[in-house]
Amino acid sequence: MASNSQPTHESETYEVEDDLSTEYGQDSDYDSDSYGEDTNEDDLEDDFEALDVEDQVPLLPEEINAMDSVADHFESVFKQRFGSTHPSFFLGSLKEANRAAFRCPMADRRPLALYLHKDVNGLMKLPSETLVNKEISDLLRKEFVVWGWDMTTQVNRILLEELMAEADMRRIHSQIPSRLPALLVVLAPMSVNQIVARIQGHFSVERTTETLLDCLEQNKEIKEANQAGSAAFEAEKKERAALLEEQRIAYEHMLAEDKARQEEKLEKERLAKKKEDEERLQQEEEERMDA
């Protein structure tokens, strides 16, 4: 992330489309049924807090290098700009956040919420109103792993692509919506990361809460399915172990019988030889006496 150039902030104003599906294209996995019904958004910008972002401190300046410093600065400036009530952002790289969410015991796995920020005049409702709502921030803090990144500058957009490649999340990067800020919720059924919800500025607090709760329910179902599969696997494992133990006992019993038969045979041979030796000695003794 090192750069001597000063961060440049792109001042943009998006015209919100009536049909959000056009943003993702027909081949995208965006599903309006999954993310809530589209609303009439012709005048959505009037509802957004019109923050002048030109003079704002960037959430992610280009000159910070260490990932811990990046996350610490991100949360500190987020608090300064939008308020003390906010989600806790993961301190570490995206790869580490991905591991914290999904590379842990199944019972402890949580959805990964990627907050992708971009300073755009008129489109700051998501960070300035939604994410600072106490119910939403508490829900994200307790039930999600939240990782944040600022995509305002070209340098940071390129770096995010590199971080996603490092975290094996290239497919997620290809599905980032063009309209930011956005909160992308990621789950990992079958250990494959996939976006299950895109929360953007036009979402109400109620719709955002419902979407997050739905993501938690999906995560619960994934864990239950995995646990059911694990239970079946354990049952099959125990059955195989019992069969192997039964075969082991039968084999040892067979070996014991073979050993007993061999010992009996050897004992008979020993007794027969002993008898033969005794008879031979007796015969020799009789012959000597006759002589």
Side-chain angles (χ1 to χ4, degrees):
M1 191 188 312
S3 173
N4 294 325
S5 62
Q6 295 299 318
T8 59
H9 302 285
E10 301 173 2
S11 178
E12 304 174 8
T13 301
Y14 290 102
E15 180 178 353
V16 180
E17 301 165 349
D18 290 334
D19 184 1
L20 288 180
S21 63
T22 60
E23 179 179 317
Y24 305 101
Q26 294 180 349
D27 296 332
S28 170
D29 59 1
Y30 180 87
D31 183 352
S32 61
D33 293 334
S34 300
Y35 307 120
E37 297 179 356
D38 292 336
T39 57
N40 186 354
E41 298 163 356
D42 292 336
D43 300 319
L44 275 178
E45 291 185 11
D46 294 337
D47 296 331
F48 293 167
E49 183 176 349
L51 296 176
D52 186 358
V53 299
E54 291 294 331
D55 300 323
Q56 295 288 348
V57 177
L59 293 180
L60 189 59
E62 297 173 0
E63 62 270 16
I64 295 182
N65 293 295
M67 193 55 63
D68 288 348
S69 299
V70 167
D72 186 62
H73 184 277
F74 188 97
E75 181 158 352
S76 176
V77 176
F78 190 98
K79 177 180 179 180
Q80 173 187 330
R81 289 178 56 176
F82 304 114
S84 58
T85 301
H86 60 80
S88 291
F89 294 99
F90 183 85
L91 295 178
S93 68
L94 178 57
K95 183 177 182 179
E96 292 167 336
N98 187 49
R99 286 177 175 172
F102 306 124
R103 304 297 186 267
C104 57
M106 180 57 63
D108 299 331
R109 294 187 183 181
R110 294 179 288 166
L112 175 61
L114 305 178
Y115 172 62
L116 302 181
H117 182 82
K118 189 174 184 180
D119 282 328
V120 182
N121 280 326
L123 294 180
M124 291 290 101
K125 181 180 178 182
L126 182 60
S128 66
E129 296 182 22
T130 307
L131 295 184
V132 296
N133 174 271
K134 188 176 188 307
E135 181 180 0
I136 291 175
S137 64
D138 286 348
L139 187 60
L140 288 169
R141 185 187 302 269
K142 295 175 182 177
E143 303 293 343
F144 293 75
V145 174
V146 184
W147 188 83
W149 193 259
D150 188 351
M151 296 181 66
T152 301
T153 68
Q154 178 67 15
V155 169
N156 289 340
R157 289 195 289 273
I158 293 173
L159 184 53
L160 177 62
E161 184 174 4
E162 295 174 358
L163 291 173
M164 286 199 163
E166 178 189 34
D168 197 20
M169 298 176 69
R170 293 179 181 85
R171 181 172 179 271
I172 300 299
H173 184 271
S174 69
Q175 297 173 8
I176 294 175
S178 60
R179 183 175 293 104
L180 299 173
L183 185 71
L184 310 182
V185 182
V186 178
L187 295 180
M190 306 299 292
S191 299
V192 178
N193 291 341
Q194 59 181 253
I195 297 174
V196 296
R198 297 174 179 84
I199 298 172
Q200 295 176 284
H202 63 278
F203 277 42
S204 65
V205 168
E206 292 76 14
R207 182 177 173 186
T208 298
T209 302
E210 291 174 0
T211 302
L212 293 176
L213 291 175
D214 180 66
C215 292
L216 289 177
E217 183 62 27
Q218 291 183 57
N219 189 56
K220 179 182 176 183
E221 291 173 357
I222 291 172
K223 292 196 289 187
E224 288 176 347
N226 184 277
Q227 289 169 351
S230 296
F233 174 78
E234 287 299 323
E236 183 180 350
K237 182 179 178 181
K238 289 181 179 179
E239 184 177 345
R240 287 199 307 269
L243 178 60
L244 289 173
E245 179 65 12
E246 181 180 337
Q247 292 174 340
R248 183 189 66 79
I249 292 174
Y251 178 70
E252 290 182 351
H253 183 68
M254 180 189 68
L255 290 178
E257 289 181 341
D258 287 345
K259 182 179 180 181
R261 284 194 294 269
Q262 183 67 17
E263 289 177 348
E264 182 180 2
K265 178 183 177 182
L266 291 175
E267 180 64 13
K268 287 181 178 179
E269 290 176 351
R270 186 186 68 80
L271 292 175
K273 186 175 185 305
K274 179 181 179 182
K275 182 179 180 181
E276 181 182 344
D277 290 343
E278 289 176 348
E279 290 177 349
R280 180 175 55 78
L281 290 174
Q282 183 178 0
Q283 182 179 359
E284 289 177 352
E285 181 66 22
E286 290 176 353
E287 289 176 353
R288 190 167 51 251
M289 291 179 64
D290 291 341

